[in-house]
Amino acid sequence: MTADRRPRWPIFLAGGLLVSVAGPLLPGEGADIAVRSVVSVAAVIAMIAGTRLHRPAAPAAWRLLIAGLAAWVGADLLWTGWFLTAGGDGHPVPFWLEAAYLPAYPLLFAGLGRLPGNAIRSRNVGVTLDAMVILLGAAFVYWTVSFNPYGNLQAMSGHALLMAAAYPVAGLFPQFMAVRLWFTHGLRNRSYAMLVLGVLGLYVNDVLYFLDIQIGEGWSYGLLANAGWLLWFVLMGTAALHPSMADARSTASDGHLTVARGVAFLVMACAGPVSLIITIPAGTPVDPLDFTAPMIMFIGLMGFLTIRLITNAGAAHRRALLLDEQAAELQRALAEQSALQELVSHRAMHDPLTGLANRALFNDRLEQATVRRSPAARHALLLLDLDGFKHVNDGYGHPVGDQLLIQAGRRLREIVREADTLARFGGDEFAVLLEDVTAEEAGEIAGRVVDVIAEAFTVGGYALHVTTSVGLYMIAESVPAGDVLRDADLALYAAKAAGKNQISVFHPGLRVERLDQARIAEGLRRALEHDAFSVDYQPVVDLRTGAVHAVEALLRWSASEGVVPPDAFIPTAEETGLIVPIGARVLRRACFDARRWHERYGIAVTVNVSAVQLRRPDFVATVLDALADSGLPGEALILEITETALLDTGMQRSDQAIEYLFALRGHGVRVAIDDFGTGYSSLAYLHRLPVDVVKIDGAFTTLTSGTDVASRQRHAFTRAILGLCESLDLPAVAEKVETAEQEEFLRGMRCPLGQGYLFSKPVPPATLDRFLAGGTGAGAGAAGSAGTAEGPGGSADPIGGERLAG
């Protein structure tokens, strides 16, 4: 069964008021007394029901209020019983019966004082002073109308005087707490507002009752006889039934002096003196001593008003000080916020490491520069990065690398002008926007950039050397900033491709080259998808016997437009990372092809490996998987690398690559150094690197019988390299052997192995099968063939891009 949620307080309020109004209109002398008894008892019951229904936040306060009302109602029921039995005969009311009402007032006082925010010990001094002003004003008026010696009132003495003074005075105490409650909560709590109005009705009816006693026969308040008390009963019960009686908020008012309170103070301060003046007949002689009581009350009222004004002024002063402090705090907070916003804005637009502008700020400056450029003005963009920085970062650690970048930023800042914008894009990439410069001035600044970066950097006791490649773009027309950056990047790429440590000025041909590279990259991806690559093989011959010692696998790509030269696609494959899957495919195919040649003729296969492949953590697994899947033993595989592939990738990665090669040697795989003589070529490197075979670059093997200086130097270098290899017990392979004369010279220098067009050009596997089986392979003995030992395009080298196809 669902509980009844309808509010009960409107029913009680309407019913109580209706009964209260109808009571005096009923016939019979005791009708009004009966109505008062019924309404008062109903009010007690309603308060008990309300406290149980709503469970107030201050239950003790409501229990005291119920006790106060019940005490008053109990006394009133005693009076009703006396009146019905003996009062009608004109007997005076007994003193004890008149005093029976008095215990209700301290209970009401205590109950009101226990409500939230209304305790006497609360620190809300302003509310207490305001209530005292109202209380004294009301007392002044009550004295005027009740005890004024010039008001034609009956003289009273004994218990009549005591009762006339006791009840209104006793009523002032709950009235005082009621006023405090009003000033604290006002209409924000409807239950408390009804309590205040009800206590006011109690006080007004008490005053009217004792005025009736004092004035005597000439006074009658008729229908008002019970109005205040009935209103009190109804509002007390309604307040308990109202849901807001459970409100736990301690206060809803700050107690500040408002205009409404000021008007109330003015009324209460003037009401007593004005009522006193009105009640004194004109020309009546007065005794100053008769005004002692009102003067005391007036002085007290003025004193409390003065204290209230002082406390209000003090509160206003404290509030002003607090506002000043808050204003100062707000000003400091705003200053801090402004500084923080500036810091955030600065960090959002500047590189945290070097303090230079970042890419976002640079792009904004570049946009502005291209938009506001006048027809006569020319700007320039320098895009640069540090050559060799990666080796420093990997070899010495990131803290050293960071310090080098900071020093580089300082050097660049000293070069550029104040109107120019210097930025770090990230990593080792910097950019400089030069405004209002000629091409000659931009070139000079770019040259100074190259020079200052080339000077040694001292970091942590290390002398570090890096260089820089610079792409220069002249902004001669209004173009989008994105296009400017793209073209400057093309120039930077060209400077790095040309050998680094130099300046490259953008020209439209660079866009064409980049478009060609994009087309090549797309073609390589399609070739991978459709398996459009093939592998040719070129024999490596024993110069003493002419027997085939090994074969080198060389990549071929036949595109729809025709055969693509390796020099045209290998750099793009390395730059895009496609060299990794391409190289893995060449390795697997070479291993599968070489198995039958190794089993029949005992020859090995040489496969070129790229530096990009060597940096892959899965490189060892890739090689071992190819051997395992093909069945080729590790001793039949030679991985051909260049010196630069091992030694030009940074100390950390170089050590890692060497570790991979040593691991593969543990499985029988041999390592050949390609193009020996063009890289580092020192005894220390040959001793450190895992080298099993040395391949001498063709630049030293093009030997002739000439007596010129160049010929003599080539003979000397070749003889020195061969002597070095013999002393280290390393087999040497002479590359690009194209003539019998070269072969004869090499044989005379005791070179064990040779490779080139003199013996065979690169051929497909089927052709090599016939060549090995019958010695009639195509290209055998092609001493007079044109081209190089690796064919028209060089050899396929997935390592450095120099030789992956031939």
Side-chain angles (χ1 to χ4, degrees):
M1 186 175 178
T2 305
D4 188 3
R5 297 290 183 182
R6 290 176 298 176
R8 295 172 174 82
W9 68 269
I11 299 174
F12 184 84
L13 177 62
L17 292 178
L18 181 62
V19 172
S20 300
V21 172
L25 302 178
L26 295 176
E29 184 177 353
D32 57 341
I33 298 176
V35 169
R36 188 175 73 187
S37 299
V38 171
V39 174
S40 63
V41 172
V44 174
I45 296 173
M47 290 194 72
I48 296 173
T51 54
R52 291 185 177 182
L53 177 65
H54 298 299
R55 299 188 180 278
W62 286 94
R63 284 195 291 268
L64 288 170
L65 291 174
I66 293 172
L69 178 62
W72 203 99
V73 172
D76 195 53
L77 291 176
L78 289 176
W79 182 90
T80 301
W82 171 85
F83 179 81
L84 294 176
T85 57
D89 298 331
H91 297 289
V93 181
F95 176 75
W96 64 269
L97 187 55
E98 291 186 347
Y101 291 88
L102 288 175
Y105 294 91
L107 291 173
L108 295 173
F109 174 81
L112 292 169
R114 297 289 293 273
L115 290 173
N118 202 39
I120 292 294
R121 61 178 179 273
S122 66
R123 297 183 178 180
N124 201 340
V125 179
V127 170
T128 301
L129 292 173
D130 294 347
M132 287 300 300
V133 171
I134 300 297
L135 188 69
L136 288 173
F140 198 153
V141 173
Y142 176 66
W143 183 91
T144 301
V145 298
S146 301
F147 299 101
N148 182 5
Y150 303 97
N152 297 321
L153 301 175
Q154 292 182 1
M156 292 185 295
S157 61
H159 78 273
L161 178 61
L162 179 61
M163 290 297 101
Y167 277 95
V169 171
L172 287 175
F173 287 94
Q175 187 66 30
F176 168 73
M177 298 307 298
V179 174
R180 288 187 87 256
L181 188 65
W182 172 262
F183 284 147
T184 300
H185 294 279
L187 287 174
R188 283 171 284 271
N189 188 302
R190 299 300 176 85
S191 176
Y192 296 166
M194 286 186 281
L195 286 178
V196 172
L197 188 58
V199 173
L200 178 61
L202 169 65
Y203 181 76
V204 170
N205 217 132
D206 285 347
V207 172
L208 291 176
Y209 176 73
F210 287 101
L211 279 177
D212 179 60
I213 294 174
Q214 289 178 290
I215 296 177
E217 297 297 332
W219 162 267
S220 177
Y221 53 100
L223 293 176
L224 298 178
N226 297 312
W229 291 328
L230 291 172
L231 181 65
W232 176 48
F233 299 147
V234 173
L235 291 180
M236 289 289 281
T238 305
L241 293 172
H242 198 279
S244 62
M245 63 92 69
D247 194 349
R249 290 177 296 175
S250 61
T251 182
S253 173
D254 55 8
H256 294 160
L257 188 59
T258 62
V259 174
R261 293 192 192 185
V263 172
F265 294 161
L266 178 63
V267 171
M268 296 310 295
C270 298
V274 170
S275 62
L276 180 60
I277 293 172
I278 292 174
T279 57
I280 300 176
T284 304
V286 297
D287 185 356
L289 294 177
D290 292 336
F291 300 99
T292 302
M295 286 300 298
I296 293 174
M297 288 185 287
F298 185 74
I299 292 172
L301 189 150
M302 292 296 106
F304 279 113
L305 273 176
T306 303
I307 296 172
R308 182 65 176 99
L309 293 174
I310 292 174
T311 57
N312 190 72
H317 179 67
R318 288 191 298 273
R319 192 176 302 112
L321 293 177
L322 179 60
L323 289 175
D324 290 341
E325 292 178 2
Q326 292 176 343
E329 185 66 26
L330 179 60
Q331 188 173 4
R332 286 193 297 269
L334 290 175
E336 292 176 0
Q337 179 70 16
S338 177
L340 181 60
Q341 288 178 346
E342 291 180 4
L343 178 61
V344 171
S345 176
H346 184 272
R347 288 183 175 178
M349 292 295 180
H350 290 79
D351 174 50
L353 179 64
T354 61
L356 304 176
N358 62 9
R359 185 184 293 270
L361 178 57
F362 188 86
N363 288 342
D364 181 68
R365 298 278 179 84
L366 184 59
E367 289 278 2
Q368 296 180 27
T370 53
V371 168
R372 69 169 183 264
R373 191 192 64 83
S374 64
R378 299 188 69 187
H379 308 318
L381 173 62
L382 304 181
L383 205 60
L384 59 119
D385 62 15
L386 305 183
D387 309 321
F389 173 76
K390 183 174 179 52
H391 303 162
V392 173
N393 216 29
D394 292 344
Y396 296 94
H398 293 289
V400 173
D402 289 345
Q403 289 301 315
L404 190 150
L405 290 174
I406 293 172
Q407 292 187 25
R410 290 172 183 168
R411 293 184 184 182
L412 294 174
R413 192 183 287 113
E414 293 175 355
I415 294 174
V416 300
R417 304 165 303 174
E418 186 175 352
D420 301 330
T421 301
L422 171 62
R424 176 179 173 240
F425 281 2
D428 61 336
E429 188 176 9
F430 295 84
V432 184
L433 175 62
L434 305 173
E435 300 194 37
D436 298 325
V437 293
T438 63
E440 291 77 15
E441 292 171 338
E444 290 178 3
I445 295 175
R448 291 205 301 272
V449 167
V450 173
D451 293 340
V452 298
I453 296 298
E455 298 175 4
F457 291 87
T458 303
V459 180
Y462 300 108
L464 307 175
H465 293 271
V466 295
T467 58
T468 185
S469 301
V470 181
L472 171 59
Y473 180 89
M474 294 302 302
I475 308 173
E477 55 186 9
S478 295
V479 293
D483 293 348
V484 174
L485 285 170
R486 179 202 62 201
D487 292 343
D489 190 59
L490 291 176
L492 173 60
Y493 181 83
K496 297 177 76 67
K500 304 179 181 180
N501 194 32
Q502 57 186 287
I503 305 165
S504 176
V505 181
F506 172 80
H507 57 84
L510 294 177
R511 293 180 189 159
V512 178
E513 294 176 9
R514 178 54 63 92
L515 290 174
D516 290 341
Q517 291 174 356
R519 285 193 291 267
I520 290 173
E522 185 59 31
L524 289 173
R525 291 186 177 91
R526 287 197 301 268
L528 272 172
E529 293 175 1
H530 299 95
D531 198 18
F533 295 110
S534 61
V535 179
D536 288 354
Y537 298 92
Q538 186 174 37
V540 177
V541 178
D542 188 325
L543 293 180
R544 290 171 296 181
T545 65
V548 176
H549 177 78
V551 292
E552 180 177 359
L554 301 169
L555 178 65
R556 294 291 182 264
W557 177 25
S558 298
S560 58
E561 299 85 0
V563 177
V564 182
D567 290 344
F569 72 82
I570 293 299
T572 302
E574 290 195 322
E575 182 181 350
T576 58
L578 293 172
I579 198 69
V580 174
I582 293 174
R585 188 166 297 184
V586 170
L587 174 65
R588 292 184 62 83
R589 187 171 299 177
C591 288
F592 276 92
D593 288 342
R595 177 182 173 181
R596 62 182 183 272
W597 301 327
H598 178 72
E599 291 176 347
R600 296 173 186 175
Y601 311 109
I603 64 177
V605 64
T606 299
V607 180
N608 293 279
V609 178
S610 166
V612 179
Q613 290 176 274
L614 276 174
R615 291 196 292 267
R616 300 277 297 186
D618 60 349
F619 174 68
V620 175
T622 300
V623 175
L624 295 180
D625 288 345
L627 291 173
D629 293 344
S630 65
L632 183 70
E635 295 78 7
L637 176 63
I638 302 172
L639 298 179
E640 188 170 313
I641 60 176
T642 62
E643 297 171 271
T644 53
L646 279 177
L647 302 174
D648 200 26
T649 58
M651 184 183 301
Q652 182 178 355
R653 289 192 171 178
S654 176
D655 291 342
Q656 188 179 60
I658 293 172
E659 181 182 341
Y660 292 161
L661 294 176
F662 270 115
L664 290 172
R665 288 182 80 193
H667 293 272
V669 179
R670 288 174 288 171
V671 179
I673 290 291
D674 193 18
D675 296 338
F676 187 80
T678 61
Y680 296 88
S681 305
S682 71
L683 283 171
Y685 291 129
L686 285 179
H687 175 70
R688 175 173 174 242
L689 300 178
V691 178
D692 299 289
V693 180
V694 175
K695 301 191 74 171
I696 304 173
D697 187 76
F700 301 102
T701 61
T702 54
L703 303 173
T704 64
S705 58
T707 58
D708 58 284
V709 175
S711 297
R712 292 198 306 273
Q713 287 180 344
R714 279 196 297 272
H715 279 260
F717 278 122
T718 304
R719 189 175 290 107
I721 294 172
L722 289 170
L724 175 63
C725 292
E726 185 176 3
S727 63
L728 295 175
D729 197 22
L730 294 174
V733 179
E735 297 182 302
K736 297 184 182 179
V737 181
E738 299 179 357
T739 65
E741 183 182 21
Q742 288 176 258
E743 180 188 13
E744 190 64 31
F745 278 123
L746 291 168
R747 189 182 296 114
M749 295 178 183
R750 297 196 300 180
C751 178
L753 302 170
Q755 177 183 353
Y757 267 40
L758 177 65
F759 312 110
S760 174
K761 66 180 181 180
V763 294
T767 303
L768 183 62
D769 282 331
R770 294 193 299 271
F771 176 80
L772 293 174
T776 60
S785 301
T788 67
E790 286 72 33
S795 82
D797 189 354
I799 300 176
E802 306 98 57
R803 297 160 42 104
L804 208 170

